């Protein structure tokens, strides 16, 4: 059951309604054909107080935690699908990052600056199980 957590500032409400944003991201995950629609949990946390790279630039961060094991190509495809859907709604969004966390695997992180990819990385989860 994937959980998609959206983090963004309150200032995005000048451009889009937050429920539309949640619905669009949820629908984009369904469209990936990797997850069943009634198994996806999508919610948003809206920040009034934030600073990005020393300024109050708008941002959107997605944290997708999956119980399903996905291949690197599937993670990249989901990230691309999500970024495409987001940039259709918010074409001038200056900062978008997507983190996909899988159980017992490296995290897949993708940063976007506009519709093109600017950085790809995998980060090893260093947390220890208790």
């Amino acid at each position: 059951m994937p959980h998609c957590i959206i983090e963004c500032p309150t200032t995005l409400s000048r451009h889009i309604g937050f429920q539309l944003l949640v619905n669009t991201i949820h629908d984009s995950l369904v469209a990936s054909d990797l997850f069943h629609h009634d198994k996806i949990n999508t919610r948003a946390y809206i920040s009034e107080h934030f600073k990005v790279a020393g300024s109050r630039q708008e941002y959107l961060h997605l944290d997708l935690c999956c119980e399903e094991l996905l291949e690197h190509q599937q993670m990249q495809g989901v990230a691309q699908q999500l970024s495409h859907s987001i940039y259709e709604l918010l074409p001038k969004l200056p900062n978008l990052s997507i983190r996909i966390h899988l159980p017992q695997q490296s995290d897949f992180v993708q940063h976007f600056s506009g519709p093109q990819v600017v950085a790809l990385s995998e980060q090893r989860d260093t947390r220890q199980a208790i």
Side-chain angles (χ1 to χ4, degrees), residues 6-99:
I6 304 163
E7 296 177 31
C8 60
T10 56
T11 57
L12 277 186
S13 67
R14 294 184 302 223
H15 312 291
I16 189 169
F18 291 123
Q19 189 58 54
L20 176 60
L21 179 63
V22 169
N23 292 346
T24 298
I25 291 170
H26 189 91
D27 293 346
S28 187
L29 289 170
V30 171
S32 74
D33 290 328
L34 295 174
F35 315 107
H36 195 269
H37 75 282
D38 63 352
K39 300 288 184 193
I40 303 168
N41 294 317
T42 308
R43 57 192 176 274
Y45 292 103
I46 314 303
S47 299
E48 185 174 334
H49 308 284
F50 64 93
K51 195 172 246 190
V52 176
S55 71
R56 287 191 47 92
Q57 277 191 339
E58 291 181 330
Y59 69 94
L60 194 137
H61 173 73
L62 299 181
D63 198 356
L64 180 61
C65 300
C66 300
E67 292 177 2
E68 299 84 353
L69 295 178
L70 301 176
E71 299 293 326
H72 183 82
Q73 187 174 10
Q74 291 173 311
M75 290 185 286
Q76 192 167 19
V78 167
Q80 290 290 340
Q81 177 133 7
L82 287 165
S83 69
H84 178 74
S85 296
I86 291 164
Y87 280 118
E88 280 186 356
L89 289 176
L90 299 163
K92 295 183 180 184
L93 180 69
N95 297 295
L96 170 62
S97 61
I98 299 171
R99 176 181 173 258

Side-chain angles (χ1 to χ4, degrees), residues 100-117:
I100 301 173
H101 178 75
L102 303 175
Q104 307 300 320
Q105 289 190 358
S106 297
D107 289 348
F108 176 87
V109 180
Q110 196 156 10
H111 299 276
F112 298 87
S113 177
Q116 71 281 0
V117 176

